[in-house]
Amino acid sequence: MAAARAAGHRPHPVRQFVLKTRSRCNLACTYCYVYEMADQGWREQPPVMTPATFARAAQRIAEHAAAHDLPRVDLVLHGGEPLLTAPARLAEPVDAVRTAVAEAAPRTRVTATVQTNGVLLTRGRLAALAAAGIRVGVSLDGGLPAHNTRRVDHAGRPGFGAAARGLRLLARHPQSYAGVLCVVDLDQDPVETYESLLAFAPPSIGLLLPLANWSDPPPGHHPDRTPYADWLLAVFERWWHDGVRRTRIRLFEEIIALLLGLPTTTETLGLTPAATAVIETDGSIEQADSLKSAYEGAAATGMTLDTHSFDQFLDHPGLAARQLGRDALAARCRACELVEVCGGGHYPHRYRAGEGFRQPSVYCADLQPLIRHIAAAVEQAVQHAAAQAPAGPTGPPGPGTPGPGAPAHPPAVAS
């Protein structure tokens, strides 16, 4: 790290803090990266984050926000299942952070969301979250029971019915509704999956590629086929050509934004530096827990809230590697014309046992046609807009300038 700093590398502050308020879950989804993949560190974590740990986290976050004059920090209550907490106590960690930040960094705004499987969403919990200004994101594999057969409780019973009831409640509170996350499942029809999710009126849908890598490839992976691109492009075509944009799809909007040279904050695409810290229930500081899909201890730093600041976390080699952008990529990625958009793909997807993370994404063959297809759709929309726009004193919109025929919404900055 000393050599990297001497060469000019400067760290980027943490802007998103994931608080693992619960380390256990009421579901036992068969593909869960926390419980079913390489890292089993959850077994040694306390089941619940204590108020003392909330308070220490709040102090450290406020300290970091003040040191870097951050305009905003984003909190994510996560697990496990964070809604295992009683409704009256759900907002405690957020309240602690807001109080500490208001004192140390009054210009910093604090936003908060909770990511849940939706099973425990009730009127009481929604009221408590809404009162605290905490928005709700729900993980679901589609809008039908057949899409969610892998989302079961510890007795093997399906969790979809309760989750669907929770989502219907949430849809009545759009101000609290952050959206739905859905892992791509090649066994399910893509358009049916997308349209079934629309029944829950999500403001956004996050379509996630399964956490996989070169040593543990995703289902259906084959060097001569692009099944994930095919699946995603079927959804894209349905979404893109819909007369009314009924939801945002973050993956597609991120690609469009990157194609247009706009900034995003995603770590799954592009070259934006990683800016997330995870705080486990015992107060340990870790990297993004998606890394746990790679190998035991991949997300660990050896740091805790009691012994380290988030500025010290910025000097951890694992985080620094994820802030290097193009310099951290394999030679093949650096030479690729799509590198500014793809960014080598999601960091955990690059891992190969014995070789580390300096390879292209295991989804490289899928990402290329996905990006190229979306680029062609955007270019066609811009050309159509230019052709339809009346020529004024300054002429029609130039290339890359969205006009009336462009997508019905601007490319969003993904959060």
Side-chain angles (χ1 to χ4, degrees):
M1 287 306 305
R5 296 285 187 262
H9 169 67
R10 294 294 177 265
H12 296 261
V14 179
R15 299 177 185 274
Q16 182 183 69
F17 298 87
V18 179
L19 303 179
K20 294 279 190 172
T21 57
R22 292 274 178 164
S23 65
R24 306 297 191 265
C25 189
N26 55 331
L27 292 187
C29 303
T30 59
Y31 59 89
C32 181
Y33 66 89
V34 174
Y35 304 108
E36 301 295 334
M37 297 189 79
D39 193 311
Q40 292 293 298
W42 65 272
R43 297 180 184 276
E44 299 176 7
Q45 286 291 334
V48 183
M49 184 179 283
T50 66
T53 303
F54 296 159
R56 191 65 176 133
Q59 292 170 355
R60 290 296 195 189
I61 292 169
E63 170 187 88
H64 195 68
H68 297 276
D69 195 22
L70 297 180
R72 190 183 89 186
V73 296
D74 301 323
L75 304 181
V76 182
L77 305 184
H78 211 277
E81 174 47 58
L83 295 191
L84 287 168
T85 303
R89 306 193 66 181
L90 279 172
E92 285 183 353
V94 175
D95 291 341
V97 173
R98 284 179 173 152
T99 298
V101 168
E103 289 185 10
R107 294 193 298 179
T108 302
R109 183 166 64 96
V110 178
T111 71
T113 59
V114 59
Q115 190 64 34
T116 172
N117 57 41
V119 169
L120 297 175
L121 278 174
T122 61
R123 288 183 179 84
R125 287 187 172 88
L126 279 172
L129 292 166
I134 301 172
R135 300 175 72 217
V136 182
V138 177
S139 300
L140 202 67
D141 291 344
L144 298 174
H147 300 150
N148 291 274
T149 56
R150 296 181 298 170
R151 298 181 70 79
V152 296
D153 67 14
H154 293 273
R157 296 170 298 202
F160 176 76
R165 287 191 294 274
L167 269 166
R168 285 192 287 269
L169 279 174
L170 180 58
R172 298 174 194 166
H173 302 273
Q175 73 282 359
S176 296
Y177 200 170
V180 172
L181 294 182
C182 177
V183 177
V184 171
D185 184 350
L186 297 181
D187 291 335
Q188 305 300 333
D189 179 86
V191 174
E192 179 188 66
T193 300
Y194 164 61
E195 293 189 336
S196 66
L197 287 172
L198 291 177
F200 296 113
S204 73
I205 296 175
L207 295 175
L208 309 178
L209 292 168
L211 282 169
N213 55 63
W214 292 104
S215 296
D216 186 13
H221 181 258
H222 190 280
D224 299 325
R225 293 197 293 267
T226 58
Y228 289 92
D230 298 343
W231 198 100
L232 288 166
L233 285 173
V235 179
F236 175 79
E237 285 295 298
R238 181 70 181 88
W239 174 78
W240 183 253
H241 295 290
D242 199 336
V244 177
R245 194 73 77 235
R246 291 185 284 171
T247 189
R248 300 169 58 188
I249 299 186
R250 286 167 46 186
L251 174 62
F252 303 153
E253 292 188 344
E254 287 163 359
I255 291 173
I256 293 168
L258 289 162
L259 285 165
L260 297 179
L262 299 175
T264 72
T265 56
T266 179
E267 291 185 22
T268 57
L269 291 168
L271 298 171
T272 302
T276 298
V278 176
I279 303 169
E280 292 284 355
T281 53
D282 66 353
S284 56
I285 301 171
E286 295 198 342
Q287 300 184 69
D289 56 357
S290 56
L291 290 170
K292 294 181 178 183
S293 62
Y295 60 89
E296 183 79 37
T301 65
M303 300 179 180
T304 72
L305 295 170
D306 287 334
T307 59
H308 293 81
S309 68
F310 286 111
D311 269 25
Q312 290 172 297
F313 173 66
L314 296 180
D315 277 333
H316 187 273
L319 179 66
R322 294 168 50 238
Q323 293 197 338
L324 288 175
R326 190 189 296 261
D327 291 341
L329 302 182
R332 176 177 152 195
C333 293
R334 294 197 301 273
C336 179
E337 65 179 356
L338 301 179
V339 65
E340 297 289 337
V341 179
C342 172
H346 197 194
Y347 199 81
H349 295 163
R350 307 177 201 172
Y351 178 72
R352 188 190 298 272
E355 299 180 33
F357 295 90
R358 205 178 178 99
Q359 357 279 327
S361 168
V362 72
Y363 292 104
C364 178
D366 293 280
L367 290 171
Q368 292 192 49
L370 177 66
I371 293 168
R372 292 183 192 280
H373 184 99
I374 293 175
V378 172
E379 182 177 11
Q380 184 179 34
V382 170
Q383 289 174 350
H384 176 75
Q388 296 298 313
T394 58
T401 305
H409 62 300
V413 177
S415 60

